[in-house]
Amino acid sequence: MGEQKIMETTEAQIAVHWQEEGYFNPSSKFIGQANLTDPEIFERFSLDNFPDCFTEYAEMLTWYKYWDEVLDTSDAPCWKWFKGGEINASYNCIDRHLKENKNKTAIHFVPELEEERIEHITYQELYVRVNEFAALLRDFAGLKRGDRVTIHMPMSTELPITMLACARLGVIHSVVFGGFSASACADRIVDSNSRVLITMDAYYRSGKLLNHKINADEAVAIAAKAGQVVDKVLVWQRYPGKYSSETPMVDGRDCFVNDVVKNYYGTRIEPEKMLSEEPLFLMYTSGTTGKPKGAQHSTGGYLSYVTAMSKYIQDIHPTDVYWCMADIGWITGHSFIVYGPLALCASTVIYEGVPTYPDAGRSWRIAQELDVNIFHTAPTAIRALRKIGPDEPAKYKYHFKHMTTVGEPIEPEVWKWYQSEVGKGEAVIVDTWWQTETGGFLCSTVPAINPMKPGSAGPGVPGIHPIILDDNGDEITQPGIAGNICIRNPWPGIMQTVWGDRQRFVDTYYARYCKNPESKDWRDWPYVAGDAATRSGDGYYRILGRIDDVINVSGHRLGTKEIESAALMVKEVAEAAVVPVAHEIKGKEPDLYIALKPGVEPTDEIAKKISDAVCDQIGKIAKPRKVWLVPDMPKTRSGKIMRRVLGAISNKGDVGNVMTLANPEVVETIKKMVDR
Ligand code: PRX
């Protein structure tokens, strides 16, 4: 009985154990050049000024026609931003820069092989190539405004060219991460009813030229079984004019873009005047259950929001060289490699391969060669770079003014290495919390205004008003008590709906706290992010992870990140992942998986040291059932640790299909270790 009561502990009673860190301030040099230094921005974007405040973001763009209404709530919670406005994303990312900047580099493409030199594509060249490819899409592939097209391509110059050509025509693109399997690609083809698939023959990954075209054939076959016919497969070539895949081309269906595009040399395509609320793209995201959801993003609202975030939070100036290491196949790449930086006329870096190929210095050599001054990556990459080359950054002469971390909570230890080693103590850091669904940032410090605090994302960005609610829908105002973080107001970057499934959109993101489903008042529709978070006295939010990642030990809900962070304070530890194991009495117990730094011998002493560190930092309550010293963590191709797989191993469950992992073989090794 006692235990049952404990299991029912509400969010409001959750204690958070991760210590508060001190502040770091941006340098006066950074502040002196920053785009946004006026603290009154927060006043301008107060709820009193909602929704009109957001016109400040929309005015960063060039519109064919201004909007009739800033926010139309008549179909709540499917918001329409800048309704009636007319705009084209391709025009805003390319054409409008030509007059002043046609000769400036838009894209630096860095091939993975170091002997292949970096390519620099000017805005003029981007303009020409996007127009010619748009002509091909329209006249050869028969695509028109409102059609969907699936793009399964690696990191390449041709990927943004493809996206921007779609945007020029008003064709809705759905980019599938290049590392995803054929069957994941097929699911997305079917859901979006794409009859055209755009792919590339091959790309480099860890020094190997991978056959990518084969995925297209499989995806088309799987989609056909599910009733979706793909009648055209457009194949870009990694080496133009040469086919780098062994998979045969299918007559009548497949064609090489580099051949067909010759027919369109010199063609210019007038950009479609899109309504602001017409969709720009779909980005599929997986939840814990069910099939992937196609997050539908708008043209005017989305582009306004990512442009403003790029300018104010990323501090991008047209003179900057900006490198975001994410893959364009994720939302981070859409918003912060392609649309945001190009809308601001910056030079954006696209790197084909693995950040640590062929060695731990590669990323820093790229930064040095291109004189990158803004750098954007995720904790998982930061940990990997720290693991294999903690002293590498100091060997290279690059200087970042600004760095971003995104995608998961960053442990203060890792944050500090990022700050002192990668940023050389000079760069400002923003820890940006957001989601595929949100288009752009939700919480972050404004770099020249708010001090940084390791481990905390920061306050809501200008225009975002977060609130932490308990299970009953009451606001949690006490610092350090965790609950469900929600956003009180709509904003222009929010997805419009789940493609083809409005009900799922409402159920997933709004139903929980909406008291009146008929309401047309935005105040009745708090957006439920699905993350647990706390707010401290200074108004900074700390994201604890997905609600379902929280481990409940004897009624104490422990953020998995807090435990992992404690383990990472032991200097031999490179990576830590904690998973809940069912326990009769405590409900759940943490099982701790550890990868040690290279050269460190796994011993019982080290395991004990790690276990002690967790007890010291958090308390005995968090004592791991067992510390497993494993050779490597099972990881996705995008580098996220697969806690689900570790959880299955710990609980003697089914690990499921692990073949899509970056390192499937490690699963068996770990299983043997745990099962013994
Ligand atoms: O749990 C949060 C975590 O990543 C989730 C969103 O993942 P995705 O849709 O793939 O978008 C990734 C790019 C934004 C969130 O629900 N998350 C994201 N950023 C942070 C974070 N957790 C903590 N701190 C962050 N900065």
mmCIF file of all heavy atoms in Angstrom, residues 97 135 138 141 167 178 195 210 246 292 608 628 636:
data_model
loop_
_atom_site.group_PDB
_atom_site.id
_atom_site.type_symbol
_atom_site.label_atom_id
_atom_site.label_comp_id
_atom_site.label_asym_id
_atom_site.label_seq_id
_atom_site.Cartn_x
_atom_site.Cartn_y
_atom_site.Cartn_z
ATOM 1 N N HIS A 97 19.030 39.171 -51.835
ATOM 2 C CA HIS A 97 20.418 39.505 -51.497
ATOM 3 C C HIS A 97 21.263 39.849 -52.721
ATOM 4 O O HIS A 97 22.393 40.298 -52.584
ATOM 5 C CB HIS A 97 21.090 38.323 -50.784
ATOM 6 C CG HIS A 97 20.332 37.812 -49.605
ATOM 7 N ND1 HIS A 97 19.757 38.645 -48.676
ATOM 8 C CD2 HIS A 97 20.056 36.548 -49.195
ATOM 9 C CE1 HIS A 97 19.154 37.911 -47.744
ATOM 10 N NE2 HIS A 97 19.315 36.647 -48.043
ATOM 11 N N ALA A 135 12.917 24.703 -62.414
ATOM 12 C CA ALA A 135 12.350 24.490 -63.755
ATOM 13 C C ALA A 135 12.202 22.997 -64.028
ATOM 14 O O ALA A 135 11.189 22.536 -64.564
ATOM 15 C CB ALA A 135 13.245 25.148 -64.806
ATOM 16 N N ARG A 138 9.283 21.597 -62.092
ATOM 17 C CA ARG A 138 7.990 22.006 -62.642
ATOM 18 C C ARG A 138 7.719 21.323 -63.991
ATOM 19 O O ARG A 138 6.684 20.702 -64.184
ATOM 20 C CB ARG A 138 7.967 23.531 -62.813
ATOM 21 C CG ARG A 138 6.602 24.083 -63.193
ATOM 22 C CD ARG A 138 6.687 25.556 -63.544
ATOM 23 N NE ARG A 138 7.466 25.770 -64.771
ATOM 24 C CZ ARG A 138 7.761 26.966 -65.269
ATOM 25 N NH1 ARG A 138 7.365 28.072 -64.637
ATOM 26 N NH2 ARG A 138 8.459 27.090 -66.373
ATOM 27 N N ALA A 141 9.256 17.093 -63.818
ATOM 28 C CA ALA A 141 8.624 16.220 -62.812
ATOM 29 C C ALA A 141 7.146 16.550 -62.617
ATOM 30 O O ALA A 141 6.434 15.817 -61.930
ATOM 31 C CB ALA A 141 9.378 16.332 -61.489
ATOM 32 N N ALA A 167 10.551 25.434 -52.519
ATOM 33 C CA ALA A 167 9.942 26.623 -51.920
ATOM 34 C C ALA A 167 9.601 27.657 -52.989
ATOM 35 O O ALA A 167 8.605 28.367 -52.897
ATOM 36 C CB ALA A 167 10.877 27.226 -50.881
ATOM 37 N N GLY A 178 19.162 11.684 -44.050
ATOM 38 C CA GLY A 178 19.858 10.778 -44.962
ATOM 39 C C GLY A 178 20.234 9.443 -44.324
ATOM 40 O O GLY A 178 20.295 8.414 -44.999
ATOM 41 N N ARG A 195 4.679 11.622 -54.900
ATOM 42 C CA ARG A 195 4.890 10.776 -56.074
ATOM 43 C C ARG A 195 6.276 11.005 -56.689
ATOM 44 O O ARG A 195 6.673 10.364 -57.664
ATOM 45 C CB ARG A 195 3.786 10.924 -57.135
ATOM 46 C CG ARG A 195 3.284 12.327 -57.426
ATOM 47 C CD ARG A 195 2.581 12.402 -58.750
ATOM 48 N NE ARG A 195 3.582 12.406 -59.807
ATOM 49 C CZ ARG A 195 4.133 13.523 -60.300
ATOM 50 N NH1 ARG A 195 3.767 14.704 -59.887
ATOM 51 N NH2 ARG A 195 5.048 13.442 -61.246
ATOM 52 N N LEU A 210 29.305 5.591 -49.284
ATOM 53 C CA LEU A 210 28.147 4.716 -49.069
ATOM 54 C C LEU A 210 27.199 4.758 -50.255
ATOM 55 O O LEU A 210 26.953 5.823 -50.812
ATOM 56 C CB LEU A 210 27.376 5.152 -47.820
ATOM 57 C CG LEU A 210 28.142 5.246 -46.513
ATOM 58 C CD1 LEU A 210 27.188 5.624 -45.377
ATOM 59 C CD2 LEU A 210 28.843 3.930 -46.193
ATOM 60 N N GLU A 246 26.202 1.241 -57.128
ATOM 61 C CA GLU A 246 26.094 0.007 -57.932
ATOM 62 C C GLU A 246 24.642 -0.322 -58.257
ATOM 63 O O GLU A 246 24.368 -1.228 -59.029
ATOM 64 C CB GLU A 246 26.642 -1.199 -57.152
ATOM 65 C CG GLU A 246 28.103 -1.166 -56.853
ATOM 66 C CD GLU A 246 28.385 -1.244 -55.363
ATOM 67 O OE1 GLU A 246 27.682 -1.993 -54.637
ATOM 68 O OE2 GLU A 246 29.291 -0.521 -54.919
ATOM 69 N N PRO A 292 5.257 8.144 -37.083
ATOM 70 C CA PRO A 292 5.799 9.502 -37.030
ATOM 71 C C PRO A 292 4.755 10.547 -37.415
ATOM 72 O O PRO A 292 3.884 10.277 -38.243
ATOM 73 C CB PRO A 292 6.913 9.474 -38.074
ATOM 74 C CG PRO A 292 7.199 8.053 -38.338
ATOM 75 C CD PRO A 292 5.978 7.267 -38.001
ATOM 76 N N LYS A 608 32.827 1.912 -8.482
ATOM 77 C CA LYS A 608 32.412 2.364 -7.141
ATOM 78 C C LYS A 608 32.520 3.891 -7.033
ATOM 79 O O LYS A 608 31.650 4.557 -6.469
ATOM 80 C CB LYS A 608 33.285 1.685 -6.073
ATOM 81 C CG LYS A 608 32.950 2.138 -4.664
ATOM 82 C CD LYS A 608 33.421 1.192 -3.594
ATOM 83 C CE LYS A 608 32.884 1.591 -2.212
ATOM 84 N NZ LYS A 608 33.008 3.014 -1.893
ATOM 85 N N TRP A 628 27.434 -0.235 -15.108
ATOM 86 C CA TRP A 628 27.959 -1.082 -16.191
ATOM 87 C C TRP A 628 28.993 -0.293 -16.978
ATOM 88 O O TRP A 628 28.662 0.730 -17.575
ATOM 89 C CB TRP A 628 26.834 -1.518 -17.136
ATOM 90 C CG TRP A 628 25.678 -2.202 -16.461
ATOM 91 C CD1 TRP A 628 24.463 -1.658 -16.159
ATOM 92 C CD2 TRP A 628 25.628 -3.557 -16.002
ATOM 93 N NE1 TRP A 628 23.665 -2.583 -15.539
ATOM 94 C CE2 TRP A 628 24.348 -3.770 -15.424
ATOM 95 C CE3 TRP A 628 26.539 -4.627 -16.008
ATOM 96 C CZ2 TRP A 628 23.957 -4.995 -14.872
ATOM 97 C CZ3 TRP A 628 26.136 -5.837 -15.463
ATOM 98 C CH2 TRP A 628 24.875 -6.020 -14.901
ATOM 99 N N THR A 636 22.115 6.280 -32.134
ATOM 100 C CA THR A 636 21.462 6.464 -33.426
ATOM 101 C C THR A 636 22.474 7.086 -34.372
ATOM 102 O O THR A 636 23.517 7.577 -33.946
ATOM 103 C CB THR A 636 20.285 7.441 -33.332
ATOM 104 O OG1 THR A 636 20.804 8.705 -32.900
ATOM 105 C CG2 THR A 636 19.235 6.968 -32.351
#
